[in-house]
C-alpha cells in the first residue's frame, strides 16, 4: 500500500496548497463567497458536477448497483436531471439576481419578509448535508489507513475546513476542479472498465445474475418517484447548488455549463450502477451493499491505481462537504446572524476585508460544529433524509412559486414554509424518518397553503415586483457592495 499512501498524501497536500492559493485571491466578500461571479464554462461545469457527486453518489451509487443492478443508477440520475432542469429553466435568471443566498432571493421577491425563517430551514439542510459528507471520511480513511472512526472524521474534516476557511469559494472552486478530474480518471476511466473486465464482461454478468438486475425499472416505480421528488427538486432549490450558480461569469455559462454538468452526472450514475453490478458478480455475499466500492477497489485494483481510485472517492466526499460547509456558513452569517443582531450593512467597500474575516470566522465555526456533530452522529441516511425532507417540504413551493407565479405573496410564502416544514417534521415522527409519506403530504400541504393564503391576501406591492423583474432581467444595477468590491481589486 506504500505507493497508494504516497498518492493519497500528495492529493491531500495539494488540497491544502489550493486553499493557500485561494486565500491570496479572496480579498472581498464577492471573491470569498461566489468566486467574484466570473467562472468560465469549463471551470463552472467541473465544479458544479463535483459538488453534486459526493460520497452518496459514489459509494452509495455503487452500493445501489450492487443491490439492484442497473436500476440502482436512478438516485444519481435524478440528481443529474435536477441539475439539467435548474440549468435550462432557472439558472440564468438566478445568476442575474446578484445575491448570495436563497433567502436573499425570497426577500427580493416577497418584499423582505421571508428571509429569516427560510434561512433557518436552509441552514438546517446545509448543516446536515455537511455532516453526512463528513461522516463518509470514516469509511474511506478506514480502508486507506485502518484508523478509527473519530480520527478519520477529524483528519478528513480538518483538511476541508482548512482550505475552505483560507480561501472560501476560490479555494473550493480550485479544489473541486482537481477533484472533478480525479473522479473522472479514477471512477470512469479506471474503475469502471477494470470492474467489468474482472467480472468477465457483460455477457458473464448477465449469466451470473438474475434478469431483474438488468431491468431499468427494477428498483421500483415508487422509489424512483421519491428520488425525483427529493433529489431532482432538491437540486432546484439548495443553497449549496445556488451558490455555485452565483459563481457563473454569464447567463450562457450558467445555462450551458450546468447542462454539461448535468449530463456528466447521468454518465456517472450509469457507471456507478455498472461497477456495483460487477461487484455483485465478484462478491455475491457482502455484509452491506455500501461495502461494494471499498471491497472491489481494495481487492481488484493494482497498487497506484488503487490509490488514485480511493483518492477519487475522497475527492467526491470532499467536494460535497466543502460546498455544503460554505453554504452553511453563508446562510448562518448572512441570513440568520446579521438579521438577529439587526445589522444594517453598509457598502462593502467600507469594510470588504471585515466581511471576508467575518465569513471566514463563520466557516471555521461551522466546520468545527460539523466535525463534532459527525463524531456524535451514527445514522447518516436518517440525517440526510431529514435534511432533504425539510428542504423540499418547506422551501420548494415558495421558491418556485416566487419564480413562476406573480400572484404569490409574502404571507403565502411564510405560511408555506411554516406549514410544510412542520408537516414534514410531524409526519416523520408519525410514519418514521425513512417513510415516503412525510415529503408527499408535507409538500402537498405547503402548496395548498401557499395558493390559498396568497389568493386571500393583498397582492405583492407593484414596486417590489417591478424591482424584482428588473433584477431578473439583469437590467437593475448590481447591489451597492459590488462596485466597491471591484474598486478594491
Amino acid at each position: 500500500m506504500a505507493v497508494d499512501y504516497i498518492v493519497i498524501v500528495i492529493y491531500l497536500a495539494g488540497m491544502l496548497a489550493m486553499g493557500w492559493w485561494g486565500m491570496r485571491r479572496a480579498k472581498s466578500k464577492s471573491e470569498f463567497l461566489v468566486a467574484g461571479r466570473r467562472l468560465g464554462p469549463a471551470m463552472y461545469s467541473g465544479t458544479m458536477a463535483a459538488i453534486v457527486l459526493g460520497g452518496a453518489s459514489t459509494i452509495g451509487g455503487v452500493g445501489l448497483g450492487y443491490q439492484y443492478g442497473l436500476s440502482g443508477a436512478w438516485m444519481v440520475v435524478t440528481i443529474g436531471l435536477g441539475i439539467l432542469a435548474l440549468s435550462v429553466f432557472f439558472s440564468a435568471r438566478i445568476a442575474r439576481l446578484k445575491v448570495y443566498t436563497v433567502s436573499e432571493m425570497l426577500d427580493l421577491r416577497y418584499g423582505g419578509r421571508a428571509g429569516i425563517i427560510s434561512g433557518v430551514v436552509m441552514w438546517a439542510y446545509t448543516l446536515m448535508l455537511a455532516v453526512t459528507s463528513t461522516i463518509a471520511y470514516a469509511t474511506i480513511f478506514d480502508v486507506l489507513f485502518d484508523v478509527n472512526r473519530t480520527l478519520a472524521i477529524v483528519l478528513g474534516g480538518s483538511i476541508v475546513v482548512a482550505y475552505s476557511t483560507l480561501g472560501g469559494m476560490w479555494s473550493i472552486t480550485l479544489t473541486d476542479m482537481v477533484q472533478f478530474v480525479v473522479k473522472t480518471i479514477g471512477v470512469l476511466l479506471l474503475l469502471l472498465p477494470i470492474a467489468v473486465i474482472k467480472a468477465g464482461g457483460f455477457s458473464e454478468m448477465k449469466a451470473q445474475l438474475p434478469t431483474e438486475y438488468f431491468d431499468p425499472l427494477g428498483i421500483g416505480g415508487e422509489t424512483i418517484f421519491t428520488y425525483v421528488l427529493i433529489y431532482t427538486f432538491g437540486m432546484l432549490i439548495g443553497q449549496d447548488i445556488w451558490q455555485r450558480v452565483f459563481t457563473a461569469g454569464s447567463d450562457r455559462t450558467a445555462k450551458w455549463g450546468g447542462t454539461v454538468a448535468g449530463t456528466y452526472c447521468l454518465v456517472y450514475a450509469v457507471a456507478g450502477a455498472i461497477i456495483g453490478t460487477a461487484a455483485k458478480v465478484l462478491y455475491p455475499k457482502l455484509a452491506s451493499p455500501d461495502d461494494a466500492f471499498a471491497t472491489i477497489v481494495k481487492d481488484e485494483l493494482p497498487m497506484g491505481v488503487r490509490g488514485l481510485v480511493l483518492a477519487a472517492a475522497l475527492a467526491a466526499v470532499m467536494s460535497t462537504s466543502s460546498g455544503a460547509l460554505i453554504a452553511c456558513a453563508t446562510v448562518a452569517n448572512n441570513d440568520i446572524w446579521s438579521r438577529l443582531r439587526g445589522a444594517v450593512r453598509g457598502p462593502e467597500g467600507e469594510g470588504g476585508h471585515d466581511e471576508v474575516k467575518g465569513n471566514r470566522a463563520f466557516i471555521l465555526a461551522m466546520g468545527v460544529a460539523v466535525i463534532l456533530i459527525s463524531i456524535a452522529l451514527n445514522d447518516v441516511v436518517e440525517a440526510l433524509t431529514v435534511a432533504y425532507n425539510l428542504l423540499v417540504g418547506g422551501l420548494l413551493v415558495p421558491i418556485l412559486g416566487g419564480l413562476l407565479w406573480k400572484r404569490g405573496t409574502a404571507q403565502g410564502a411564510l405560511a408555506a414554509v411554516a406549514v410544510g416544514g412542520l408537516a414534514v417534521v410531524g409526519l416523520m415522527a408519525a410514519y418514521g424518518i425513512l417513510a415516503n409519506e412525510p415529503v408527499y403530504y408535507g409538500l402537498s400541504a405547503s402548496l395548498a397553503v401557499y395558493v390559498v393564503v396568497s389568493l386571500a391576501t393583498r397582492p405583492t406591492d407593484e414596486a417590489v415586483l417591478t424591482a424584482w423583474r428588473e433584477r431578473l432581467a439583469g437590467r437593475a444595477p448590481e447591489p451597492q457592495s459590488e462596485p466597491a468590491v471591484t474598486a478594491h481589486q
Side-chain angles (χ1 to χ4, degrees):
M1 292 286 286
V3 176
D4 299 322
Y5 291 159
I6 291 170
V7 171
I8 297 297
V9 170
I10 290 172
Y11 169 76
L12 294 176
M15 295 301 98
L16 292 174
M18 292 288 183
W20 183 261
W21 190 87
M23 183 176 68
R24 299 164 64 90
R25 296 289 302 269
K27 301 298 184 183
S28 68
K29 179 179 178 180
S30 176
E31 295 281 358
F32 191 81
L33 293 181
V34 290
R37 307 187 196 274
R38 58 186 184 189
L39 294 191
M43 188 166 281
Y44 179 86
S45 298
T47 57
M48 179 62 86
I51 188 176
V52 298
L53 296 174
S57 300
T58 304
I59 298 169
V62 170
L64 287 170
Y66 183 89
Q67 188 172 2
Y68 297 105
L70 298 186
S71 67
W74 273 106
M75 183 186 77
V76 185
V77 164
T78 57
I79 290 173
L81 293 176
I83 295 300
L84 285 171
L86 176 71
S87 302
V88 172
F89 299 113
F90 300 109
S91 63
R93 284 186 287 174
I94 291 170
R96 291 188 208 119
L97 292 174
K98 303 295 183 187
V99 295
Y100 293 102
T101 68
V102 174
S103 294
E104 287 180 32
M105 166 263 168
L106 291 172
D107 277 353
L108 281 172
R109 169 59 181 82
Y110 294 112
R113 287 173 286 176
I116 192 164
I117 295 177
S118 62
V120 170
V121 174
M122 189 64 76
W123 175 78
Y125 157 72
T126 53
L127 180 69
M128 284 297 101
L129 187 61
V131 165
T132 54
S133 302
T134 303
I135 290 173
Y137 295 127
T139 301
I140 299 169
F141 278 97
D142 179 54
V143 175
L144 286 173
F145 305 118
D146 193 25
V147 297
N148 68 56
R149 180 179 183 275
T150 299
L151 182 59
I153 289 171
V154 171
L155 178 60
S158 296
I159 292 170
V160 169
V161 172
Y163 72 69
S164 301
T165 302
L166 285 172
M169 187 59 83
W170 265 124
S171 294
I172 292 170
T173 297
L174 293 169
T175 54
D176 276 0
M177 201 61 206
V178 173
Q179 289 157 358
F180 170 74
V181 173
V182 171
K183 278 191 286 194
T184 301
I185 296 172
V187 175
L188 297 185
L189 302 184
L190 292 175
L191 182 57
L192 175 61
I194 290 172
V196 172
I197 292 169
K198 290 283 187 178
F202 284 104
S203 59
E204 182 65 19
M205 289 162 63
K206 286 186 176 181
Q208 292 283 341
L209 296 173
T211 54
E212 56 262 28
Y213 264 71
F214 302 92
D215 179 359
L217 303 178
I219 198 170
E222 185 178 354
T223 299
I224 295 171
F225 179 72
T226 302
Y227 283 160
V228 169
L229 205 58
I230 293 177
Y231 295 114
T232 302
F233 286 123
M235 292 300 108
L236 295 179
I237 59 175
Q239 169 67 26
D240 51 325
I241 310 301
W242 277 41
Q243 202 155 342
R244 294 311 171 100
V245 175
F246 300 151
T247 67
S250 66
D251 293 358
R252 185 178 178 83
T253 295
K255 182 174 182 178
W256 295 111
T259 301
V260 170
T263 304
Y264 179 90
C265 291
L266 301 182
V267 174
Y268 200 88
V270 175
I274 293 173
I275 293 166
T277 305
K280 184 67 175 179
V281 173
L282 294 167
Y283 311 98
K285 297 189 182 297
L286 289 178
S288 168
D290 285 341
D291 293 338
F293 180 89
T295 303
I296 196 169
V297 169
K298 196 172 184 179
D299 293 351
E300 303 297 336
L301 300 185
M303 67 177 181
V305 173
R306 180 172 50 206
L308 185 59
V309 173
L310 287 171
L314 197 57
V317 176
M318 281 186 159
S319 55
T320 301
S321 180
S322 59
L325 177 59
I326 194 171
C328 178
T330 302
V331 171
N333 188 15
N334 288 263
D335 294 334
I336 300 175
W337 173 245
S338 293
R339 296 168 194 266
L340 290 177
R341 73 182 182 184
V344 178
R345 295 192 185 109
E348 193 174 334
E350 297 175 6
H353 296 295
D354 290 336
E355 288 273 11
V356 172
K357 289 177 182 177
N359 282 290
R360 185 173 281 139
F362 265 88
I363 290 180
L364 180 59
M366 291 297 106
V368 171
V370 164
I371 291 172
L372 293 176
I373 295 170
S374 300
I375 292 170
L377 198 64
N378 287 318
D379 200 320
V380 181
V381 175
E382 289 196 356
L384 194 61
T385 302
V386 170
Y388 272 101
N389 281 354
L390 276 173
L391 177 71
V392 173
L395 291 180
L396 179 68
V397 169
I399 292 171
L400 293 189
L403 288 168
L404 299 173
W405 191 38
K406 175 183 176 181
R407 188 61 180 82
T409 66
Q411 294 88 343
L414 288 169
V417 174
V419 170
L422 290 173
V424 163
V425 171
L427 290 165
M428 281 192 292
Y431 285 97
I433 289 176
L434 299 180
N436 293 327
E437 287 84 357
V439 72
Y440 294 169
Y441 299 147
L443 187 57
S444 300
S446 179
L447 177 61
V449 168
Y450 179 72
V451 172
V452 170
V453 174
S454 292
L455 292 175
T457 51
R458 293 183 60 182
T460 304
D461 187 87
E462 190 57 38
V464 171
L465 289 177
T466 299
W468 167 253
R469 285 192 291 268
E470 290 292 305
R471 185 72 74 88
L472 271 182
R475 292 191 295 267
E478 295 184 8
Q480 276 189 318
S481 61
E482 295 294 337
V485 170
T486 305
H488 277 280
Q489 292 172 359

mmCIF file with all atom_site columns, all heavy atoms in Angstrom, residues 403-419:
data_model
loop_
_atom_site.group_PDB
_atom_site.id
_atom_site.type_symbol
_atom_site.label_atom_id
_atom_site.label_alt_id
_atom_site.label_comp_id
_atom_site.label_asym_id
_atom_site.label_entity_id
_atom_site.label_seq_id
_atom_site.pdbx_PDB_ins_code
_atom_site.Cartn_x
_atom_site.Cartn_y
_atom_site.Cartn_z
_atom_site.occupancy
_atom_site.B_iso_or_equiv
_atom_site.pdbx_formal_charge
_atom_site.auth_seq_id
_atom_site.auth_comp_id
_atom_site.auth_asym_id
_atom_site.auth_atom_id
_atom_site.pdbx_PDB_model_num
ATOM 1   N N   . LEU A 1 403 ? -40.643 32.324 -8.411  1.00 0.00 ? 403 LEU A N   1
ATOM 2   C CA  . LEU A 1 403 ? -40.062 32.432 -9.747  1.00 0.00 ? 403 LEU A CA  1
ATOM 3   C C   . LEU A 1 403 ? -41.112 32.316 -10.852 1.00 0.00 ? 403 LEU A C   1
ATOM 4   O O   . LEU A 1 403 ? -40.943 32.883 -11.942 1.00 0.00 ? 403 LEU A O   1
ATOM 5   C CB  . LEU A 1 403 ? -38.996 31.339 -9.944  1.00 0.00 ? 403 LEU A CB  1
ATOM 6   C CG  . LEU A 1 403 ? -37.688 31.514 -9.172  1.00 0.00 ? 403 LEU A CG  1
ATOM 7   C CD1 . LEU A 1 403 ? -36.869 30.234 -9.231  1.00 0.00 ? 403 LEU A CD1 1
ATOM 8   C CD2 . LEU A 1 403 ? -36.886 32.693 -9.730  1.00 0.00 ? 403 LEU A CD2 1
ATOM 9   N N   . LEU A 1 404 ? -42.215 31.597 -10.571 1.00 0.00 ? 404 LEU A N   1
ATOM 10  C CA  . LEU A 1 404 ? -43.144 31.259 -11.653 1.00 0.00 ? 404 LEU A CA  1
ATOM 11  C C   . LEU A 1 404 ? -44.522 31.909 -11.537 1.00 0.00 ? 404 LEU A C   1
ATOM 12  O O   . LEU A 1 404 ? -45.243 32.000 -12.536 1.00 0.00 ? 404 LEU A O   1
ATOM 13  C CB  . LEU A 1 404 ? -43.328 29.729 -11.702 1.00 0.00 ? 404 LEU A CB  1
ATOM 14  C CG  . LEU A 1 404 ? -42.067 28.909 -11.976 1.00 0.00 ? 404 LEU A CG  1
ATOM 15  C CD1 . LEU A 1 404 ? -42.368 27.422 -11.827 1.00 0.00 ? 404 LEU A CD1 1
ATOM 16  C CD2 . LEU A 1 404 ? -41.517 29.211 -13.363 1.00 0.00 ? 404 LEU A CD2 1
ATOM 17  N N   . TRP A 1 405 ? -44.926 32.357 -10.319 1.00 0.00 ? 405 TRP A N   1
ATOM 18  C CA  . TRP A 1 405 ? -46.310 32.821 -10.127 1.00 0.00 ? 405 TRP A CA  1
ATOM 19  C C   . TRP A 1 405 ? -46.312 34.235 -9.559  1.00 0.00 ? 405 TRP A C   1
ATOM 20  O O   . TRP A 1 405 ? -45.916 34.451 -8.411  1.00 0.00 ? 405 TRP A O   1
ATOM 21  C CB  . TRP A 1 405 ? -47.048 31.868 -9.183  1.00 0.00 ? 405 TRP A CB  1
ATOM 22  C CG  . TRP A 1 405 ? -48.528 32.096 -9.117  1.00 0.00 ? 405 TRP A CG  1
ATOM 23  C CD1 . TRP A 1 405 ? -49.354 32.432 -10.124 1.00 0.00 ? 405 TRP A CD1 1
ATOM 24  C CD2 . TRP A 1 405 ? -49.358 31.992 -7.947  1.00 0.00 ? 405 TRP A CD2 1
ATOM 25  N NE1 . TRP A 1 405 ? -50.648 32.543 -9.685  1.00 0.00 ? 405 TRP A NE1 1
ATOM 26  C CE2 . TRP A 1 405 ? -50.676 32.273 -8.353  1.00 0.00 ? 405 TRP A CE2 1
ATOM 27  C CE3 . TRP A 1 405 ? -49.107 31.675 -6.615  1.00 0.00 ? 405 TRP A CE3 1
ATOM 28  C CZ2 . TRP A 1 405 ? -51.749 32.261 -7.460  1.00 0.00 ? 405 TRP A CZ2 1
ATOM 29  C CZ3 . TRP A 1 405 ? -50.168 31.656 -5.725  1.00 0.00 ? 405 TRP A CZ3 1
ATOM 30  C CH2 . TRP A 1 405 ? -51.480 31.949 -6.140  1.00 0.00 ? 405 TRP A CH2 1
ATOM 31  N N   . LYS A 1 406 ? -46.803 35.176 -10.347 1.00 0.00 ? 406 LYS A N   1
ATOM 32  C CA  . LYS A 1 406 ? -46.810 36.581 -9.943  1.00 0.00 ? 406 LYS A CA  1
ATOM 33  C C   . LYS A 1 406 ? -47.687 36.815 -8.726  1.00 0.00 ? 406 LYS A C   1
ATOM 34  O O   . LYS A 1 406 ? -47.412 37.688 -7.898  1.00 0.00 ? 406 LYS A O   1
ATOM 35  C CB  . LYS A 1 406 ? -47.296 37.434 -11.116 1.00 0.00 ? 406 LYS A CB  1
ATOM 36  C CG  . LYS A 1 406 ? -47.458 38.908 -10.790 1.00 0.00 ? 406 LYS A CG  1
ATOM 37  C CD  . LYS A 1 406 ? -48.019 39.665 -11.983 1.00 0.00 ? 406 LYS A CD  1
ATOM 38  C CE  . LYS A 1 406 ? -48.283 41.117 -11.626 1.00 0.00 ? 406 LYS A CE  1
ATOM 39  N NZ  . LYS A 1 406 ? -48.854 41.868 -12.768 1.00 0.00 ? 406 LYS A NZ  1
ATOM 40  N N   . ARG A 1 407 ? -48.755 36.023 -8.561  1.00 0.00 ? 407 ARG A N   1
ATOM 41  C CA  . ARG A 1 407 ? -49.739 36.301 -7.510  1.00 0.00 ? 407 ARG A CA  1
ATOM 42  C C   . ARG A 1 407 ? -49.284 35.826 -6.122  1.00 0.00 ? 407 ARG A C   1
ATOM 43  O O   . ARG A 1 407 ? -49.912 36.126 -5.112  1.00 0.00 ? 407 ARG A O   1
ATOM 44  C CB  . ARG A 1 407 ? -51.070 35.619 -7.877  1.00 0.00 ? 407 ARG A CB  1
ATOM 45  C CG  . ARG A 1 407 ? -52.238 35.973 -6.989  1.00 0.00 ? 407 ARG A CG  1
ATOM 46  C CD  . ARG A 1 407 ? -52.561 37.462 -7.007  1.00 0.00 ? 407 ARG A CD  1
ATOM 47  N NE  . ARG A 1 407 ? -53.687 37.768 -6.144  1.00 0.00 ? 407 ARG A NE  1
ATOM 48  C CZ  . ARG A 1 407 ? -53.593 37.927 -4.817  1.00 0.00 ? 407 ARG A CZ  1
ATOM 49  N NH1 . ARG A 1 407 ? -52.426 37.791 -4.203  1.00 0.00 ? 407 ARG A NH1 1
ATOM 50  N NH2 . ARG A 1 407 ? -54.666 38.230 -4.103  1.00 0.00 ? 407 ARG A NH2 1
ATOM 51  N N   . GLY A 1 408 ? -48.184 35.071 -6.044  1.00 0.00 ? 408 GLY A N   1
ATOM 52  C CA  . GLY A 1 408 ? -47.688 34.629 -4.746  1.00 0.00 ? 408 GLY A CA  1
ATOM 53  C C   . GLY A 1 408 ? -47.309 35.798 -3.859  1.00 0.00 ? 408 GLY A C   1
ATOM 54  O O   . GLY A 1 408 ? -46.713 36.774 -4.316  1.00 0.00 ? 408 GLY A O   1
ATOM 55  N N   . THR A 1 409 ? -47.650 35.719 -2.566  1.00 0.00 ? 409 THR A N   1
ATOM 56  C CA  . THR A 1 409 ? -47.394 36.822 -1.640  1.00 0.00 ? 409 THR A CA  1
ATOM 57  C C   . THR A 1 409 ? -46.469 36.384 -0.511  1.00 0.00 ? 409 THR A C   1
ATOM 58  O O   . THR A 1 409 ? -46.228 35.189 -0.297  1.00 0.00 ? 409 THR A O   1
ATOM 59  C CB  . THR A 1 409 ? -48.707 37.328 -1.027  1.00 0.00 ? 409 THR A CB  1
ATOM 60  O OG1 . THR A 1 409 ? -49.271 36.285 -0.194  1.00 0.00 ? 409 THR A OG1 1
ATOM 61  C CG2 . THR A 1 409 ? -49.709 37.719 -2.101  1.00 0.00 ? 409 THR A CG2 1
ATOM 62  N N   . ALA A 1 410 ? -45.978 37.377 0.237   1.00 0.00 ? 410 ALA A N   1
ATOM 63  C CA  . ALA A 1 410 ? -45.109 37.088 1.370   1.00 0.00 ? 410 ALA A CA  1
ATOM 64  C C   . ALA A 1 410 ? -45.823 36.246 2.412   1.00 0.00 ? 410 ALA A C   1
ATOM 65  O O   . ALA A 1 410 ? -45.245 35.310 2.985   1.00 0.00 ? 410 ALA A O   1
ATOM 66  C CB  . ALA A 1 410 ? -44.619 38.396 1.993   1.00 0.00 ? 410 ALA A CB  1
ATOM 67  N N   . GLN A 1 411 ? -47.092 36.576 2.669   1.00 0.00 ? 411 GLN A N   1
ATOM 68  C CA  . GLN A 1 411 ? -47.873 35.797 3.648   1.00 0.00 ? 411 GLN A CA  1
ATOM 69  C C   . GLN A 1 411 ? -48.017 34.347 3.203   1.00 0.00 ? 411 GLN A C   1
ATOM 70  O O   . GLN A 1 411 ? -47.909 33.414 4.001   1.00 0.00 ? 411 GLN A O   1
ATOM 71  C CB  . GLN A 1 411 ? -49.256 36.427 3.842   1.00 0.00 ? 411 GLN A CB  1
ATOM 72  C CG  . GLN A 1 411 ? -49.229 37.801 4.487   1.00 0.00 ? 411 GLN A CG  1
ATOM 73  C CD  . GLN A 1 411 ? -49.070 38.927 3.471   1.00 0.00 ? 411 GLN A CD  1
ATOM 74  O OE1 . GLN A 1 411 ? -48.667 38.696 2.331   1.00 0.00 ? 411 GLN A OE1 1
ATOM 75  N NE2 . GLN A 1 411 ? -49.383 40.149 3.892   1.00 0.00 ? 411 GLN A NE2 1
ATOM 76  N N   . GLY A 1 412 ? -48.271 34.155 1.891   1.00 0.00 ? 412 GLY A N   1
ATOM 77  C CA  . GLY A 1 412 ? -48.370 32.804 1.361   1.00 0.00 ? 412 GLY A CA  1
ATOM 78  C C   . GLY A 1 412 ? -47.056 32.048 1.481   1.00 0.00 ? 412 GLY A C   1
ATOM 79  O O   . GLY A 1 412 ? -47.030 30.859 1.824   1.00 0.00 ? 412 GLY A O   1
ATOM 80  N N   . ALA A 1 413 ? -45.945 32.746 1.212   1.00 0.00 ? 413 ALA A N   1
ATOM 81  C CA  . ALA A 1 413 ? -44.630 32.112 1.305   1.00 0.00 ? 413 ALA A CA  1
ATOM 82  C C   . ALA A 1 413 ? -44.318 31.706 2.738   1.00 0.00 ? 413 ALA A C   1
ATOM 83  O O   . ALA A 1 413 ? -43.861 30.581 2.992   1.00 0.00 ? 413 ALA A O   1
ATOM 84  C CB  . ALA A 1 413 ? -43.560 33.066 0.774   1.00 0.00 ? 413 ALA A CB  1
ATOM 85  N N   . LEU A 1 414 ? -44.555 32.601 3.688   1.00 0.00 ? 414 LEU A N   1
ATOM 86  C CA  . LEU A 1 414 ? -44.276 32.290 5.091   1.00 0.00 ? 414 LEU A CA  1
ATOM 87  C C   . LEU A 1 414 ? -45.145 31.135 5.582   1.00 0.00 ? 414 LEU A C   1
ATOM 88  O O   . LEU A 1 414 ? -44.671 30.248 6.303   1.00 0.00 ? 414 LEU A O   1
ATOM 89  C CB  . LEU A 1 414 ? -44.506 33.533 5.953   1.00 0.00 ? 414 LEU A CB  1
ATOM 90  C CG  . LEU A 1 414 ? -43.466 34.642 5.824   1.00 0.00 ? 414 LEU A CG  1
ATOM 91  C CD1 . LEU A 1 414 ? -43.945 35.915 6.512   1.00 0.00 ? 414 LEU A CD1 1
ATOM 92  C CD2 . LEU A 1 414 ? -42.124 34.201 6.406   1.00 0.00 ? 414 LEU A CD2 1
ATOM 93  N N   . ALA A 1 415 ? -46.420 31.147 5.189   1.00 0.00 ? 415 ALA A N   1
ATOM 94  C CA  . ALA A 1 415 ? -47.328 30.060 5.587   1.00 0.00 ? 415 ALA A CA  1
ATOM 95  C C   . ALA A 1 415 ? -46.869 28.736 4.995   1.00 0.00 ? 415 ALA A C   1
ATOM 96  O O   . ALA A 1 415 ? -46.906 27.686 5.652   1.00 0.00 ? 415 ALA A O   1
ATOM 97  C CB  . ALA A 1 415 ? -48.754 30.384 5.144   1.00 0.00 ? 415 ALA A CB  1
ATOM 98  N N   . ALA A 1 416 ? -46.411 28.768 3.741   1.00 0.00 ? 416 ALA A N   1
ATOM 99  C CA  . ALA A 1 416 ? -45.958 27.542 3.081   1.00 0.00 ? 416 ALA A CA  1
ATOM 100 C C   . ALA A 1 416 ? -44.721 26.964 3.762   1.00 0.00 ? 416 ALA A C   1
ATOM 101 O O   . ALA A 1 416 ? -44.618 25.757 3.972   1.00 0.00 ? 416 ALA A O   1
ATOM 102 C CB  . ALA A 1 416 ? -45.657 27.820 1.609   1.00 0.00 ? 416 ALA A CB  1
ATOM 103 N N   . VAL A 1 417 ? -43.768 27.849 4.136   1.00 0.00 ? 417 VAL A N   1
ATOM 104 C CA  . VAL A 1 417 ? -42.566 27.393 4.836   1.00 0.00 ? 417 VAL A CA  1
ATOM 105 C C   . VAL A 1 417 ? -42.938 26.772 6.177   1.00 0.00 ? 417 VAL A C   1
ATOM 106 O O   . VAL A 1 417 ? -42.479 25.674 6.532   1.00 0.00 ? 417 VAL A O   1
ATOM 107 C CB  . VAL A 1 417 ? -41.571 28.548 5.042   1.00 0.00 ? 417 VAL A CB  1
ATOM 108 C CG1 . VAL A 1 417 ? -40.392 28.089 5.910   1.00 0.00 ? 417 VAL A CG1 1
ATOM 109 C CG2 . VAL A 1 417 ? -41.051 29.068 3.713   1.00 0.00 ? 417 VAL A CG2 1
ATOM 110 N N   . ALA A 1 418 ? -43.788 27.483 6.942   1.00 0.00 ? 418 ALA A N   1
ATOM 111 C CA  . ALA A 1 418 ? -44.153 27.015 8.283   1.00 0.00 ? 418 ALA A CA  1
ATOM 112 C C   . ALA A 1 418 ? -44.962 25.712 8.232   1.00 0.00 ? 418 ALA A C   1
ATOM 113 O O   . ALA A 1 418 ? -44.632 24.737 8.908   1.00 0.00 ? 418 ALA A O   1
ATOM 114 C CB  . ALA A 1 418 ? -44.939 28.105 9.009   1.00 0.00 ? 418 ALA A CB  1
ATOM 115 N N   . VAL A 1 419 ? -46.013 25.697 7.415   1.00 0.00 ? 419 VAL A N   1
ATOM 116 C CA  . VAL A 1 419 ? -46.882 24.514 7.352   1.00 0.00 ? 419 VAL A CA  1
ATOM 117 C C   . VAL A 1 419 ? -46.139 23.323 6.749   1.00 0.00 ? 419 VAL A C   1
ATOM 118 O O   . VAL A 1 419 ? -46.200 22.201 7.265   1.00 0.00 ? 419 VAL A O   1
ATOM 119 C CB  . VAL A 1 419 ? -48.162 24.826 6.550   1.00 0.00 ? 419 VAL A CB  1
ATOM 120 C CG1 . VAL A 1 419 ? -48.942 23.548 6.275   1.00 0.00 ? 419 VAL A CG1 1
ATOM 121 C CG2 . VAL A 1 419 ? -49.018 25.824 7.318   1.00 0.00 ? 419 VAL A CG2 1
#
